[in-house]
Amino acid sequence: MPDSSASSDAPSLDAPARQKRPVPEKIRSILATDCGSTTTKAILIELDGDEYRLKVRGESPTTVEAPVEDVTAGVLNAVTEVEELAGRRLIRDGAIISPQTDDEGVDIYISTSSAGGGLQMMVAGVVRNMTAESAERAALGAGAIVMDVIASNDKRLPHERIEQIRRLRPDMILLSGGVDGGTTTHVVELAELIAAANPRPRLGISYELPVVYAGNKDARDLIQKQLEGKTALEVVDNLRPTLEREELMPARLKIQDQFLHHVMSHAPGYPKLMEWTDAPIMPTPGAVGYMMQTIASQRGIEILGVDIGGATTDVFSVFQGVFNRTVSANLGMSYSVSNVLAEAGLPNILRWIPFPVDERDLRNRIKNKMIRPTTIPQTLKELIIEQAIAREALRLALDQHKKLAVGLRGVQQQRTISDAFNQTSSHDTLVNLASLDLIVGSGGVLSHAPRRQQSALMMLDAFAPEWVTELAVDSIFMMPQLGVLAQVNEAAAMHVFDRDCLIRLGTSIAPTGSPEKSSVRVRGTLPGGNMLDGVVPGGELRVWQLGVGEEAQLEFVPEGTFDLGAGRGRPVSLTVTGGVVGLIVDTRGRPLHLPKDEAPRVAALQKWYQALDLYPSLSDQE
Amino acid sequence: MPQAYTPGLAVSDGVTVRKERKLPLPGDVMVAAGDEVSSDTVVARTELPGNAQLINIAGLLGVPPDELEARMRVRVGEEVAENTVLAETKGLLGLFRGQVRAPARGTLESVSTVTGQAILREPPTPLEVHAYIRGRIVEVIPREGVVVETHATFVQGIFGVGGETVGELVFITDEPSEPIRQAAIKPEHGGKVLVGGGRVEYGAIARAREVGAKAIIGGGIDDADLRTLLGYDLGVAITGTEPIGITVAVTEGFGDISMAQRTFELLRTRVGALASVNGATQIRAGVQRPEIVIPLESHHAERQTPASGVLEIGANVRVIREPHFGSVGVVAGLPVEPRRLETEARVRVASVRLSNGETIELPRANIELVETMSRD
């Protein structure tokens, strides 16, 4: 069996699909679709002068399920909408016209997919917080949902692990374990477990389950002996060749490759869709992650991205140049809304609501949303409750992200052995809310909030960023399509991202320290020449208008226990970027605490919500 | 242009229901196309591979893995009874022998001289798939299963727990709004499928389980009662395998909510018939709702198909979110331009004339079609 560890067989622009037709040197038009679990979204990007711009978008229900059972039907429906809106022909004889000739068709067609629940994986490693954790990071980074992590030291008995593998029926298993040249026994034991479980894949009973082995290279022959014939085994380089080194990229690329060739090719209509696309179909979160990394590296910033959906919440981050992605599989605003209640607990949701709510009524409302996930809040009270739940879902998703975002990127980096042993402790998470430069929020509850300041405050309350942080939302969640596009034409992807995708909300200035007897003085000149000189006492939120594209050179002087990065009480001078909300000075302190007693808590919420003009006539809701 | 489609739950007095009955692993199909089957007919059978026991023989004997071959007393592929000696050490002058015995009956599947572990595969477990509904086999999927077809009264619920079951339909409330209380459950309800109108109280479920009822169906349920029933807070609506000893299904939602009049009346026409009920609910990709299938006596009854599923003026709809949750009415208008809600969101709305005469405007996302059936 060949060692396929190199990136040569990874999904790349040189993959067979891409070779069938050369991409024109000057790309005039790009059609991109994202086949989600429920909706297929299509966008048309065209060259306008020297810039690529989003022209129109369309959407249609995804058609993976019965009665249609062909993903391309939904794609064509969504593209038909684009065709009608753009006023030019894109489809002929039930297929997308490519390349563009005159005013017909597009030069490039690309797609992402999370239909059918996305890529669902199990990972296995020898030591839970070492190889198994590295394997988990590799799978998540490739865009998978990790259903379970099996480790030799996970305290489960062998038969319990076997039962779990059988029960979960993953799409793929990533097996790792052992450093190169080390003992082979434990990783072979894991292979024996997998062989004993003889797992059947989720999509059909007629094909073999893909298993990617990325463990000790000395164990390859033994692993092959155990798993070949029983599974579709692929071998790549060890993702933990030494204790101090983590090398995730070969495993990630192989996972995406297997996703395409095994999982997707068995999903209804995908073989046809794969023929249509000019670049390999990527798992949706994998594409978003790629986009995040591109932004962070191009601008040299630290970034936190979140996509809160109906079923899951994805968190992406780049800190210290290290990319991480986690998916909180059961934190979402519709299908999983009830699980947010179960995990956060009722008091944590109620703390964000500035009016009395009957517990029984709230529980029933949340369950009704779960069973009828497409409904939307019609009254202001329902909107406020939904945004309270969103704060908790986002907070929990970030907590989960912090626990896993502790490792190294899939390039060679050095760390000490003691670091390696301690990697899951909370103090060494890479997520640093003080050095964070930009938060990008997306997903219905953030992208479609009736007032943009609602999105800004949901993110401030949930993530509690410290010091200076820019806030933005993705207007229509087109980052998946832009992620694939970035692999074909990075400039086009970045043009569209900047001009059509990202809505800048503004900048948050949030000192660390206790709000008791503390304050922040703000001084400087706003665009237009207005002088600004004010004091924001501790425990408040204050907003100044600073529009999109505007900047202001301001001095912030923290007083009392407050610190804005230069030390307690030391002033900082900053160039602050505006947005549709503006400059937000948040003196509620970090860590962010809400008053425990009801009356002061409600008073504080009302004060904050009014400061941001968050809701219309909030007083009616008291 | 794509049409607005607002799927509702099926409530039908006579419709063709097809059920795929498939094995999780390839096996044998026991019936042929055209066969008439009852709900308990075995339509397919297979054997699930037995539980695999991993036994660390080298560790237990205290010998290196590479010496294991010489210590084994059973060959790979050999069947053994429980307690059979699988491996042993020589001991000292034939004494003090270390032995490892089979913890269960099974077949020795493998012995690893790398890890020192052996896999003992317990005997396979037979698995049978029943027809679940009375009807006729219309398709055989070789080695996998069959498709059963029946002509039946068919009602989809909105949420349920517990799996497939079959029993005689019995009514336990007189009105669709009457809560289902413990006192309504009698000892003679053992083995029956119980239907009431209003909210199912936990006391009633507990009592129904006690008397051995197969299923209980109502309009609504309180989340607090569901939590008591399951013993945990249900996070994600993927149900059907709860070991709770009874199947529970509700047709409308959570809270004090009455069963839709039409559903209540339809089910009442089938009292005494054998009902197949499944509480399994899955609200993600591949939506699955709980169902009540009550086969009709004749396959040749007039055939009906669901209405188009398109939201249009005159369509019967139900409000599925607060305020007005549970109200039914008729679509009176479908304004093209989005309207501004109290939340300030701009969405497409429908104007609905409620059964009390009041006309309200509400988001299209917050209504569902009450499916009417049309004759073919």
Coordinates of all heavy atoms in Angstrom, one line a residue, chain A residues 36 73 178 200 272 297-298 302 318 355 379 446 533 548 586:
Chain A
G36 N -26.3 23.3 2.0 CA -26.5 23.1 3.5 C -27.5 22.0 3.8 O -28.1 21.4 2.8
A73 N -30.6 19.0 -8.0 CA -31.9 19.6 -8.3 C -32.0 20.9 -7.5 O -32.4 22.0 -8.0 CB -33.0 18.7 -7.9
G178 N 0.8 7.2 19.2 CA 2.3 6.8 19.3 C 3.1 7.8 18.5 O 2.7 8.3 17.5
R200 N -20.1 -0.1 10.4 CA -20.8 0.2 9.2 C -21.0 1.7 9.0 O -21.4 2.3 9.9 CB -22.1 -0.5 9.1 CG -22.2 -2.0 9.4 CD -21.1 -2.8 8.7 NE -21.1 -2.7 7.3 CZ -20.2 -3.1 6.5 NH1 -19.1 -3.6 7.0 NH2 -20.3 -3.0 5.2
K272 N -22.6 13.7 -9.7 CA -22.9 14.6 -10.8 C -22.3 16.0 -10.4 O -21.7 16.7 -11.2 CB -24.4 14.7 -11.1 CG -24.7 15.5 -12.3 CD -26.1 15.2 -12.9 CE -27.2 15.2 -12.0 NZ -28.6 15.2 -12.6
S297 N -4.0 36.0 8.0 CA -2.6 36.1 7.5 C -2.4 37.3 6.7 O -1.4 38.0 6.7 CB -2.2 34.8 6.8 OG -2.8 34.7 5.5
Q298 N -3.4 37.6 5.9 CA -3.3 38.8 5.0 C -3.2 40.1 5.8 O -2.4 41.0 5.5 CB -4.5 39.0 4.1 CG -4.4 38.1 2.8 CD -5.2 38.7 1.7 OE1 -6.1 39.5 1.9 NE2 -5.1 38.1 0.5
E302 N -5.3 38.9 14.9 CA -5.9 37.7 15.6 C -7.4 37.8 15.4 O -8.0 38.9 15.6 CB -5.5 37.7 17.0 CG -4.0 37.6 17.2 CD -3.5 37.1 18.5 OE1 -4.2 37.4 19.5 OE2 -2.5 36.4 18.5
V318 N -7.9 32.4 14.9 CA -6.4 32.4 14.6 C -5.8 33.3 15.7 O -6.0 34.5 15.8 CB -6.2 33.0 13.2 CG1 -4.6 32.9 12.9 CG2 -6.9 32.2 12.1
F355 N -37.3 41.4 32.0 CA -38.7 41.3 32.4 C -39.0 39.9 33.0 O -38.3 39.0 32.7 CB -39.7 41.7 31.3 CG -39.4 40.9 30.0 CD1 -39.9 39.6 29.8 CD2 -38.7 41.5 29.0 CE1 -39.7 38.9 28.7 CE2 -38.5 40.8 27.8 CZ -39.0 39.5 27.6
T379 N -43.0 38.7 18.4 CA -43.2 39.8 19.4 C -41.8 40.2 19.9 O -40.8 39.4 19.8 CB -44.0 39.3 20.6 OG1 -43.4 38.3 21.3 CG2 -45.4 38.8 20.1
L446 N -27.4 36.4 14.4 CA -26.4 37.5 14.4 C -26.6 38.3 13.1 O -26.6 39.5 13.1 CB -25.0 37.1 14.6 CG -24.6 36.5 16.0 CD1 -23.2 35.9 15.9 CD2 -24.7 37.6 17.0
D533 N -14.7 64.7 24.7 CA -14.1 64.7 26.0 C -15.1 64.3 27.0 O -16.0 65.0 27.4 CB -13.5 66.0 26.3 CG -12.6 66.0 27.6 OD1 -12.6 64.9 28.2 OD2 -12.0 67.0 27.9
V548 N -19.1 53.8 9.1 CA -18.3 52.8 8.3 C -17.2 53.5 7.5 O -17.5 54.5 6.9 CB -19.2 52.0 7.4 CG1 -18.5 51.1 6.5 CG2 -20.3 51.3 8.2
D586 N -17.2 50.1 26.8 CA -17.9 49.1 27.7 C -17.2 49.1 29.0 O -16.1 48.5 29.1 CB -17.9 47.7 27.0 CG -18.5 46.6 27.9 OD1 -18.9 46.9 29.0 OD2 -18.6 45.5 27.4

